[in-house]
Amino acid sequence: MMTDELLRSQLPHTLRQIDLPGLGDLYRGKVRDNYSRGDRIVMITTDRVSAFDHVLGTIPFKGEVLSRLAAFWFEKVKDLAPTHLLDQPDPSVMVVKRAKALPIEIVIRGYITGSLWRDYQGGKTDAYGIAWPKGLKKDQALEQAVITPSTKAEYGKHDEPISEAELLRQGLVSPQLWSEATAIARKLFQRGQEWARSRGLILVDTKYEMGTVDGKLVVIDEIHTPDSSRYWVADGYEARLAKGAEQEMLDKENIRQWLIQEHGFSGQGKPPPLTDDVRVMLARKYIEVYERLTGERFVSTVGSVEERIKRNLAAKGYLGQR
Ligand SMILES: Nc1ncnc2c1ncn2[C@@H]1O[C@H](COP(=O)(O)OP(=O)(O)OP(=O)(O)O)[C@@H](O)[C@H]1O
Ligand SMILES: [Mg+2]
């Protein structure tokens, strides 16, 4: 694991955004700067971190960890479904096939926790359109993974759960495509859970985005990263569950907890600035997930991410005329 000193020295070099108009039309998401031209997108994962739909700041090496992990997972599941990944010219960059994205995020959960737990406890599960058994305990494993789709909201708005019946009624996805998409999601999730387990982690839940290319389903965006998934440490899970203690989380939940506990912030108003200490703490969590899942040390160099990306894109011919 990189030392805190090394992580700290990367603080001034993190990537907030990158301007490369020559790459095509820019769509700046919360985390990625996406340049599209024709049928491909150059997706640059910046070091931005978002929580409760606000961009809060940057975390050292986050873009690289996410992009490398997404590529790692795409490779691991490529026998299950076509993915959008074409090329990785830089550790923070994925060149992908542009798809027509489904307007729905496919959330799949193996455990009851987070927003689902809050809704379940508050008796607000109607929107999910699922009959939940009574007497579930926070963080307990569900008998079978459940899919709880959510709408894909525009910037600044919150994604909302939507039932399968409702999304089909609204014609957001055709029944045929939906059944294909959910079948793929189940297979991906099973593969993800198995792999995570073999590496001492629990893949608790995750979110998939899918799209179509020439009418065929493709897995897009990122998969099984600590931004799109919850990961818990497997060791001690049962004991913590029995005691009613918090699980050991290695995902974005850490920043949500910091915001709520230290600053009483849960999405309303202006988010507090991230301190350098919390930025380093979060970098450590991201790198820990990477190292556990891949079984490899995370190695990178301190210095400008922007310069490195530009160098790599230029060397691989992405910045020239086409
Ligand atoms: N292959 C693809 N084809 C088309 N769109 C894609 C593809 N892969 C990812 N996307 C979209 O590109 C964007 C990636 O940027 P990012 O993840 O930062 O956005 P986001 O903040 O999560 O989403 P948004 O702001 O759009 O709600 C997302 O809107 C995602 O849906
Ligand atoms: Mg996203």
Side-chain angles (χ1 to χ4, degrees):
M1 173 71 106
M2 288 173 129
T3 62
D4 277 11
E5 203 186 331
L6 221 85
L7 297 176
R8 201 168 284 279
S9 52
Q10 181 64 6
L11 285 169
H13 305 296
T14 55
L15 184 68
R16 173 103 210 177
Q17 61 177 67
I18 188 160
D19 297 307
L20 292 166
L23 278 181
D25 297 327
L26 171 63
Y27 172 73
R28 190 159 274 148
K30 287 182 288 289
V31 172
R32 279 168 285 224
D33 285 359
N34 308 284
Y35 288 93
S36 57
R37 178 186 281 143
D39 57 4
R40 68 150 207 224
I41 309 177
V42 179
M43 291 184 44
I44 300 164
T45 310
T46 70
D47 295 321
R48 295 195 289 271
V49 63
S50 79
F52 303 115
D53 290 325
H54 289 265
V55 174
L56 305 164
T58 60
I59 308 295
F61 302 113
K62 176 174 180 279
E64 180 174 345
V65 167
L66 285 188
S67 194
R68 281 169 60 176
L69 258 186
F72 168 84
W73 277 114
F74 278 135
E75 176 63 30
K76 278 240 165 314
V77 304
K78 67 179 184 200
D79 59 312
L80 300 179
T83 80
H84 68 163
L85 184 60
L86 297 172
D87 189 18
Q88 233 195 332
D90 175 274
S92 298
V93 181
M94 289 193 287
V95 178
V96 305
K97 223 180 293 169
R98 186 182 195 168
K100 190 164 177 288
L102 305 186
I104 290 290
E105 300 195 336
I106 304 170
V107 180
I108 181 163
R109 309 166 183 263
Y111 296 75
I112 183 161
T113 190
S115 60
L116 173 61
W117 169 252
R118 287 190 290 277
D119 287 348
Y120 177 81
Q121 219 187 7
K124 286 184 256 173
T125 49
D126 284 358
Y128 296 91
I130 293 170
W132 303 95
K134 285 214 183 352
L136 292 178
K137 200 166 150 186
K138 179 172 180 286
D139 298 345
Q140 103 174 51
L142 296 165
E143 239 168 67
Q144 225 203 346
V146 288
I147 292 180
T148 57
S150 77
T151 57
K152 208 169 136 39
E154 284 156 42
Y155 191 90
K157 297 196 196 136
H158 297 283
D159 298 344
E160 299 285 352
I162 183 170
S163 70
E164 178 172 80
E166 183 59 19
L167 77 89
L168 292 174
R169 196 191 63 78
Q170 290 185 21
L172 296 176
V173 185
S174 75
Q176 158 85 31
L177 218 50
W178 182 249
S179 89
E180 270 178 54
T182 52
I184 292 173
R186 287 189 180 280
K187 282 195 242 168
L188 295 174
F189 190 57
Q190 192 186 349
R191 174 78 50 90
Q193 283 200 311
E194 283 166 6
W195 180 262
R197 212 18 114 126
S198 75
R199 311 284 326 161
L201 294 178
I202 297 176
L203 176 59
V204 177
D205 50 38
T206 196
K207 174 213 73 172
Y208 300 110
E209 293 189 36
M210 295 187 205
T212 54
V213 175
D214 301 327
K216 283 231 163 79
L217 268 182
V218 180
V219 183
I220 63 170
D221 208 53
E222 60 184 347
I223 64 164
H224 302 168
T225 72
D227 266 13
S228 67
S229 323
R230 273 196 181 81
Y231 281 104
W232 292 338
V233 173
D235 195 28
Y237 161 79
E238 294 289 347
R240 289 188 296 270
L241 181 73
K243 273 195 299 194
E246 282 295 322
Q247 292 300 326
E248 201 179 318
M249 307 165 297
L250 285 176
D251 53 68
K252 261 180 70 177
E253 196 62 24
N254 286 291
I255 187 161
R256 297 193 196 105
Q257 297 287 328
W258 182 81
L259 290 166
I260 295 171
Q261 280 160 17
E262 310 280 313
H263 298 274
F265 178 81
S266 57
Q268 277 71 49
K270 200 173 172 311
L274 297 180
T275 61
D276 285 353
D277 284 346
V278 85
R279 292 168 73 203
V280 169
M281 179 275 278
L282 289 168
R284 234 190 295 120
K285 300 279 180 197
Y286 277 97
I287 292 172
E288 188 175 345
V289 182
Y290 176 93
E291 294 192 339
R292 286 208 189 217
L293 285 174
T294 63
E296 281 166 21
R297 300 269 311 270
F298 176 80
V299 187
S300 188
T301 16
V302 172
S304 168
V305 177
E306 179 170 355
E307 294 306 316
R308 188 199 67 212
I309 290 175
K310 286 182 173 165
R311 225 172 22 243
N312 279 328
L313 288 178
K316 292 178 183 149
Y318 282 98
L319 297 182
Q321 246 56 47
R322 43 163 264 147

